[in-house]
Amino acid sequence: AVDRLAVYHYAYRARLINALADDFPTLRHALGGPAFDALALRVIDRFPSKTPNLNAYGRVMLDHLAGRDGRPAQRPFLLDVARLEWALVEVIHAPTPRRLNPETLRLIPPERWPHLRFSGSPSLRLLPSRWPVNAYLQAFRNGEAPVRPKPTPSCVLVYRQGFTVWRMDLSPLTHGLLAALLAGVPLGEALEAVEGRAGADQVMRWFEAWVSGGVFA
């Protein structure tokens, strides 16, 4: 009886490895298949699954790579690749609140605009990195075999429209502005921080793209 039950024990470990590979295919490429499988086994031993639903299980990969389980943190590039892939999973499963309606903004008197504060949608993630991880992920999805890139600061916005998940690369300027708005900085104060580095028309195009993309709730 014990031997027969053991079949399910090892089958479930294999299922957890497959679940992690499904959530982190780019990370698996970066490590190589055997090394990823060995990493997944260490993660499973350290963080056994406690629920029958595996939608949220992949979060433990980030905890392990970041050293939050008391072990040394792994290579930062691998952690940032994993963060991007996990953001895609989280955004898929995140609730979708009412989006900010552009018509609502047009009804607000101009004198109130400098004092406006914005709330970010729970179905978005803003991910700064020391590496171009979005370009690396896209190259892998294109069927290429990307090698680890040289450090180059980047930031990617991950958000959802309907059932489609999008990734938008941001410049340091747009990242700073959007991060300030999502942190609750009043619009006027956030715009003052980029004054002289971007024209009003350019900033308006960024803002319209974020509103139409459902970045703000």
Side-chain angles (χ1 to χ4, degrees):
V2 172
D3 290 340
R4 290 195 294 272
L5 286 172
V7 172
Y8 296 95
H9 170 75
Y10 291 112
Y12 192 60
R13 286 168 65 87
R15 176 70 186 95
L16 291 177
I17 293 174
N18 289 337
L20 292 174
D22 286 343
D23 287 337
F24 302 101
T26 312
L27 177 65
R28 192 173 193 274
H29 164 77
L31 279 167
F36 179 88
D37 292 347
L39 170 64
L41 283 173
R42 293 196 299 271
V43 171
I44 293 167
D45 287 340
R46 189 68 176 173
F47 300 98
S49 174
K50 297 181 180 179
T51 69
N53 189 327
L54 295 181
N55 284 345
Y57 181 65
R59 175 74 206 185
V60 298
M61 178 65 79
L62 270 65
D63 292 335
H64 180 76
L65 291 176
R68 284 192 284 270
D69 59 356
R71 299 191 177 193
Q74 303 293 318
R75 286 169 285 179
F77 171 70
L78 298 178
L79 175 58
D80 281 5
V81 170
R83 280 173 174 158
L84 176 55
E85 293 200 291
W86 186 242
L88 299 175
V89 176
E90 286 188 324
V91 167
I92 289 172
H93 296 290
T96 305
R98 282 188 63 185
R99 295 166 55 178
L100 176 62
N101 189 335
E103 296 300 323
T104 302
L105 287 175
R106 294 189 182 99
L107 296 176
I108 298 175
E111 62 271 15
R112 289 184 55 198
W113 273 70
H115 309 290
L116 293 182
R117 298 175 187 267
F118 296 86
S119 296
S121 169
S123 60
L124 74 86
R125 298 294 184 273
L126 192 60
L127 302 166
S129 174
R130 291 165 50 198
W131 289 270
V133 289
N134 189 37
Y136 184 88
L137 182 145
Q138 187 59 50
F140 171 74
R141 290 190 169 190
N142 290 343
E144 303 171 23
V147 296
R148 175 175 170 167
K150 294 181 179 180
T152 304
S154 70
C155 182
V156 58
L157 171 66
V158 181
Y159 63 100
R160 193 179 79 225
Q161 288 180 308
F163 295 104
T164 304
V165 176
W166 298 91
R167 290 170 286 123
M168 179 189 295
D169 283 309
L170 302 179
S171 68
L173 196 58
T174 52
H175 167 221
L177 176 58
L178 181 56
L181 293 175
L182 294 176
V185 174
L187 180 60
E189 183 179 335
L191 292 178
E192 287 178 1
V194 300
E195 188 174 358
R197 294 186 290 163
D201 291 343
Q202 187 179 23
V203 171
M204 185 55 65
R205 286 196 297 272
W206 299 339
F207 191 73
E208 289 175 349
W210 297 334
V211 172
S212 63
V215 168
F216 303 114

